Amino acid sequence: QELADEPGIKAMLAHLAAHLHTPATVELVTDLLPTAAQALTRQHNPALFVVGRPADEAATPDQVSLMLLELLRAVQLPLLLVPQRTAAATPPRRVLIAADSEPFVLPAAIDGVKQLLHQLAPHVTIVHVSGIEDDENCARAKHAVELSGLTTDLPDVEPRGYQYSRPADGILAAINDVGADLVVLLTRQRSYLGELFHHSVTAEVLRRSPVPVLAVPAAEPTAGQRRQAHHAADNMLA
């Protein structure tokens, strides 16, 4: 039905694009399959993908998270998921970064996320969620984020620990507590967020977050980098 009105849809998108703050090119594809996403990436060399979160009746949370997982794997670029009716009239001033206590590395292709945070200069809250009170790993989470360079030179960064048996509940509670207007989720294969990216934790955050969520693919450090990070964290906590 949509493709039957392709000229009308293109005209509507062109009208929307004309009112953006920066020049925009309109592309119409039938599906953001990995091959299509890779082709768009090669053609436009984007810093990130922005995806509108569809209404609940249009797509299930599992469908949304599966689509994002496929995009992340295909393009290895940050994905910004924007809920419908998000009141994002101004740039984010309070950013929440959800992290575990393990070190990670940000690929060079994701330098745009660091630049974005540095330009915004927001108040940053690094949130660690655990089923028990865990001040040590909360401090390690902050250290892991700092070591990645994500918050380098940002003047207003604080760690917060949340005691919840379900990590998604802790992240969602933190959004309300700190008044966050942007959530950054670090997605890796072997973190408690990464392992559950296409299951309950990230799917629930993506479904329930009242603010935009930026999913950032992070890489595992080398064995040497991991030892160095753990050693530095131990010295910090000593």
Side-chain angles (χ1 to χ4, degrees):
Q1 288 179 323
E2 292 178 351
L3 289 179
D5 189 31
E6 183 174 338
I9 292 175
K10 281 190 173 180
M12 179 185 67
L13 292 174
H15 177 73
L16 291 173
H19 290 82
L20 295 177
H21 295 295
T22 55
T25 299
V26 174
E27 300 272 2
L28 190 62
V29 296
T30 56
D31 200 348
L32 266 183
L33 294 171
T35 52
Q38 289 168 348
L40 289 171
T41 301
R42 289 191 297 268
Q43 181 179 354
H44 297 289
N45 193 29
L48 79 162
F49 272 68
V50 182
V51 181
R53 186 176 73 190
D56 290 343
E57 61 270 18
T60 67
D62 285 343
Q63 288 175 322
V64 172
S65 57
L66 179 60
M67 176 190 68
L68 291 180
L69 179 60
E70 289 180 346
L71 277 176
L72 274 173
R73 286 175 173 168
V75 301
Q76 288 298 299
L77 289 171
L79 298 176
L80 178 64
L81 186 72
V82 183
Q84 283 190 336
R85 296 179 294 276
T86 295
T90 58
R93 302 307 307 161
R94 290 186 171 271
V95 174
L96 185 154
I97 300 176
D100 60 18
S101 58
E102 290 298 315
F104 61 92
V105 176
L106 292 179
I110 301 178
D111 281 346
V113 174
K114 299 179 186 178
Q115 295 173 14
L116 173 64
L117 289 179
H118 293 166
Q119 290 174 3
L120 293 173
H123 172 82
V124 175
T125 303
I126 299 171
V127 169
H128 176 268
V129 183
S130 175
I132 59 174
E133 188 173 346
D134 194 354
D135 292 339
E136 180 175 321
N137 277 326
C138 182
R140 289 181 181 274
K142 179 176 183 290
H143 179 72
V145 172
E146 291 174 341
L147 196 63
S148 74
L150 194 57
T151 56
T152 300
D153 298 329
L154 292 181
D156 196 3
V157 180
E158 68 164 333
R160 282 202 189 189
Y162 282 79
Q163 186 177 346
Y164 279 84
S165 58
R166 302 177 69 246
D169 289 341
I171 295 170
L172 291 163
I175 294 173
N176 292 326
D177 284 352
V178 306
D181 38 26
L182 175 67
V183 177
V184 177
L185 290 180
L186 301 165
T187 61
R188 300 182 280 163
Q189 290 184 347
R190 290 192 291 275
S191 71
Y192 81 97
L193 289 176
E195 289 174 354
L196 297 174
F197 180 71
H198 60 296
H199 294 123
S200 60
V201 176
T202 302
E204 190 168 357
V205 174
L206 295 173
R207 176 174 59 86
R208 294 172 55 191
S209 175
V211 300
V213 179
L214 181 62
V216 179
E220 294 296 322
T222 65
Q225 289 173 324
R226 184 178 294 276
R227 285 194 299 270
Q228 185 178 9
H230 282 304
H231 180 68
D234 290 339
N235 289 338
M236 174 191 67
L237 294 169

